[in-house]
Amino acid sequence: RGTHNLLPRAMKAMEFLRIRLYRREHKFMMRLTEDEEAEEISVGRNLLPKLNSMLRERHAVGLRECPLKGHTFETLKSNPASNFFMDWRSKVSSALIRFAWRARTNSLMTGEIMRITGHGDGKCQTCGRDETLLHRLNGCPRKKHLYKPRHDAIVNILVEIINAGTGRNNRRAIHLDATIRGPQGERLEEETLRNLKPDIWYYERDTLKLVEVTVPYGSMTTIQGQEMTTLQARRNEKLAKYGPLVEAARTQFGINVELYVITVSSLGAIPEETMRDLRRLVLVNATRAAKRMVIAAIRGSRDVYLNRTSRQVRQLWREPPGNLEDEGEENPVEEIPEEGETEDSDDPWIPAS
């Protein structure tokens, strides 16, 4: 009692942090008490960085296991491009950063959150189904007109970076959402494959390059008994869909064909497979291109959350906001900035009215 000895204080700290200290072969070792397969740490030099890394990983695992608040974290780990804007030195608007934080932790006011807090029945105001964040950002059948601009924004970034560095007079003939043709304009003979339309296709020398973009909601799922991320599942779907098209084009046209699947989650997660495809595809810095697509996906998801159409977004930027009437849309815009406010004034915490 009242002692300031370092040993009792260290033992108390290890008990609090759930770290086990033991001696083996004349060395003191440390390990997390709840995980017998965890990495052992030798007590000596560089102990503190290793200990901090071990504790951070344990905390991250605990977060990913939270079904409500941490279900998106598995798709965001170990990828600096997905989280670059969290750095205070980034030039991303604070409104967008706040939205990303709240969306990734499932803290936005959705039907699910309102039901849990006792403020609603949890139903989507547009289609009447149970409204989770996944449903609102990616799954509502009556909001597909809001999802397409987010997808197209990423396609436009890809078109820009594919042509970057080629010179104004050497621009490639890039085709968007069109059936592929051979070098002489011939079509595929097989009818089922002839009607497939990749998001982007173009010729680079003697190689036909196909690019398919997908923007799923990032979480975990189980496919045929195998647990994987929805990003990997969607990528596999695209490869299975366009794989036969690639083989048919190689066989009939006698050319090299390459397929790139660019997967960006609606909350800005980019898997390593997409980073590898970007490095093969673009002639400029792939990491910078990935960062631009992350911001485009998050900005598009914010517009989806606020029920903004492309026309309304353009009006918010080009003219002072007024009464924007959306023809043919069931729900009006949930939040329109007051006169003189900028994009930074948006607060997606406001629930749907």
Side-chain angles (χ1 to χ4, degrees), residues 155 159 172-182 197-203 208-211:
V155 171
V159 171
R172 300 181 178 92
I174 297 179
H175 306 270
L176 304 180
D177 193 26
T179 55
I180 67 171
R181 298 295 182 97
K197 298 180 179 180
D199 290 318
I200 301 172
W201 67 269
Y202 64 96
Y203 280 94
L208 172 60
K209 296 194 174 186
L210 314 179
V211 184

Side-chain angles (χ1 to χ4, degrees), residues 89-135:
R89 292 168 295 185
S90 70
K91 298 181 180 180
V92 180
S93 74
S94 58
L96 208 59
I97 295 175
R98 288 197 302 270
F99 174 83
W101 267 111
R102 291 167 177 170
R104 290 180 173 188
T105 57
N106 199 14
S107 300
L108 294 173
M109 193 60 70
T110 60
E112 178 184 34
I113 301 300
M114 295 180 72
R115 177 180 53 80
I116 291 173
T117 57
H119 293 88
D121 59 1
K123 299 298 183 181
C124 175
Q125 296 182 7
T126 305
C127 69
R129 301 179 184 178
D130 291 338
E131 185 188 58
T132 61
L133 188 60
L134 184 156
H135 175 88

